[in-house]
Amino acid sequence: MAPPGSSRAAFALLGGVQVTLIFTLAAVAVPLPGIGVEFGVRREELILLSAAYGLTFAGLLLFGGRLADRYGGQRTLTAGLLVFGLASAAAPLAPGYGTLLAARLSQGVGAALIAPAAMAVLRTVFPSPAAYGGAMATWGGLSVLGATAGNLLSGVISALLSWRWAFAVPLAVTVAALVLAPRVLPAATGSHSGTGGSRSGTGGSRSGTGGPEHPARRPRLDLPGALLATAGLASASYGLVLTDAWSWTSGRVLAPLVAGVVLLAMFVGAERRAPDPLLPPRFLLDRRRALGLAATALTAAGTATVFVLFSLHLQDERGWSALRTSAAFVPFAVALLASGRVAGRLIGRYGAPVVTGAGLAVGAVGLVLLALLGMNGTVPYAYGLLPGFVLLATGVAASFAGAAVLATDRVPAERTGLAGGVHNTAMETGPTVVFALVLGVGGDTASLAVTAALFGTAALALRLA
């Protein structure tokens, strides 16, 4: 258990790291064209560079969660920070495209260890279910805050300095986390899931785990499952990313997409036979958890869709600079912070399903406004974009907060790393899958309208649950 008075400092440290992981995802989004000019690379190589961090991040999250459950959150967190920090130091020094690509892939490896481990450590900082649920309500909004900060600051930094300086942020946070972690985080006294070795309250529970627990032993590492899950998620995600440049029937798209689907099908089969599976099949059958994960994926996808479409629209269609485009998202960030501050209290009063559904409904209204007015270049920003941005930010903050509580509710302490890995996997793969699908329906306006319809459908499902 965390020492008295240290929980806020521990949460601030872990939360700052989580924000930085998502910030890094968007760190090269705005300056990507400039990187292409500097290194003289083609569009498809820039697409791979943009996706590289997310590919290894999403692909290894389940395995990272299993490592946290086996070796403890503290140890896994430290290992991830070291990998992430070294990669963040190498990226700005990259002399060419290949080195930068390798650094981005390595950052994703470190992030896949950090994200589930941080959630496992968080469980020791807030050991009671009520306190942990309250912490998760705040935790849920940190990722969208990181994405917003990444879009804002990457444009500012690239305009005023260079894209290379964007990597100073993850490097500085990593160094600070490595220095401060031993002082503010609870000491690792056991080898299981960062819980200090304690199994109290779990009682060998079967709830959501798919089988009995074995307190006397560590969970075994499912290496075949880890390889299949990582390769399948990375391959399928890369195929979906390529739909930005090629049609769905192109061999460039179909080859990795089909390979990914086959590998994931093999993963499902292997998990059913494994004695200690990476992802127990019954883990996802809890209705509240499934709804929370779906809401997480959809909310992340809606936010990413708006960031991408309007970053391109404002620069390509309205002729705005990267700096002015970044400034356009400032009200989004302000509304996000304001809504996030009250989301936890609303969850405590009305429950996570109600708040998550209400957030999706409000977000759907914001998306409709952006579809009707935002893409119309003749409508001023104050009337065409600002109302939609504010409503969307308000909705996604509430949705992320409630979905994080639903996705981690009733998870035994020894499965906290697994829950963190699954939750972050939904957050990372959701944008790739949904964004690729909605772009296939037509233009930008249609994509926003379809995303709004998905938000509304999810809100209704939560209302009826």
Side-chain angles (χ1 to χ4, degrees):
M1 182 180 298
S6 69
S7 58
R8 288 190 177 183
F11 185 89
L13 175 63
L14 295 171
V17 171
Q18 176 69 10
V19 169
T20 303
L21 296 185
I22 310 302
F23 169 92
T24 306
L25 191 67
V28 300
V30 176
L32 201 61
I35 296 174
V37 172
E38 180 175 340
F39 290 150
V41 296
R42 301 185 301 274
R43 178 180 175 85
E44 56 266 33
E45 293 172 309
L46 287 178
I47 292 173
L48 178 58
L49 179 63
S50 177
Y53 176 78
L55 291 178
T56 49
F57 190 0
L60 286 166
L61 271 167
L62 292 177
F63 189 55
R66 198 57 161 172
L67 289 175
D69 286 337
R70 177 175 172 82
Y71 296 109
Q74 280 271 30
R75 296 182 181 91
T76 309
L77 178 67
T78 300
L81 286 169
L82 288 172
V83 174
F84 186 76
L86 290 172
S88 298
L93 302 176
Y97 172 81
T99 307
L100 181 58
L101 178 63
R104 291 287 285 173
L105 290 167
S106 299
Q107 279 184 315
V109 174
L113 298 177
I114 293 170
M119 290 181 67
V121 175
L122 196 67
R123 185 68 173 265
T124 70
V125 177
F126 300 96
S128 75
Y132 183 66
M136 287 309 302
T138 303
W139 188 269
L142 296 179
S143 294
V144 70
L145 177 61
T148 306
N151 279 273
L152 288 173
L153 294 181
S154 63
V156 174
I157 292 173
S158 61
L160 299 181
L161 298 169
S162 163
W163 61 265
R164 296 176 185 271
W165 280 96
F167 292 97
V169 175
L171 180 58
V173 171
T174 301
V175 172
L178 286 169
V179 171
L180 295 175
R183 303 180 184 181
V184 302
L185 297 183
T189 58
S191 60
H192 298 285
S193 62
T195 64
S198 173
R199 298 279 181 170
S200 60
T202 65
S205 170
R206 291 172 179 265
S207 176
T209 67
E213 299 300 332
H214 302 279
R217 66 176 177 84
R218 297 179 179 181
R220 286 182 291 180
L221 293 180
D222 177 17
L223 292 179
L227 292 173
L228 289 171
T230 300
L233 285 170
S235 182
S237 298
Y238 182 57
L240 290 171
V241 166
L242 291 179
T243 60
D244 175 70
W246 289 281
S247 71
W248 286 81
T249 57
S250 168
R252 292 176 180 266
V253 172
L254 286 177
L257 199 57
V258 171
V261 171
V262 171
L263 288 168
L264 289 175
M266 293 172 62
F267 168 70
V268 171
E271 294 302 276
R272 292 182 180 277
R273 298 187 300 271
D276 205 349
L278 182 71
L279 178 60
R282 292 184 59 189
F283 187 81
L284 302 179
L285 295 183
D286 183 282
R287 184 176 179 82
R288 286 167 60 90
R289 187 175 303 137
L291 287 172
L293 292 171
T296 296
L298 184 57
T299 307
T303 307
T305 299
V306 166
F307 283 163
V308 171
L309 292 184
F310 282 97
S311 292
L312 294 174
H313 169 75
L314 293 175
Q315 294 182 78
D316 295 342
E317 303 298 327
R318 301 198 185 195
W320 289 20
S321 66
L323 189 60
R324 188 180 179 189
T325 298
S326 293
F329 289 99
V330 169
F332 186 99
V334 173
L336 184 74
L337 289 171
S339 180
R341 289 181 65 87
V342 301
R345 292 195 293 272
L346 292 175
I347 291 171
R349 183 171 182 179
Y350 299 106
V354 172
V355 174
T356 307
L360 287 167
V362 172
V365 175
L367 286 166
V368 168
L369 289 178
L370 290 172
L372 294 176
L373 302 173
M375 286 295 171
N376 187 338
T378 63
V379 180
Y381 172 86
Y383 306 109
L385 279 78
L386 184 59
F389 279 171
V390 171
L391 284 174
L392 178 62
T394 301
V396 300
S399 176
F400 264 127
V405 174
L406 290 172
T408 56
D409 189 30
R410 295 181 293 193
V411 174
E414 65 273 11
R415 292 292 176 92
T416 306
L418 171 62
V422 173
H423 175 66
N424 281 279
T425 299
M427 191 180 302
E428 295 304 314
T429 58
T432 302
V433 175
V434 176
F435 188 53
L437 293 177
V438 299
L439 284 184
V441 303
D444 294 346
T445 299
S447 297
L448 291 170
V450 170
T451 306
L454 292 174
F455 268 51
T457 302
L460 181 60
L462 281 160
R463 180 69 180 86
L464 298 176

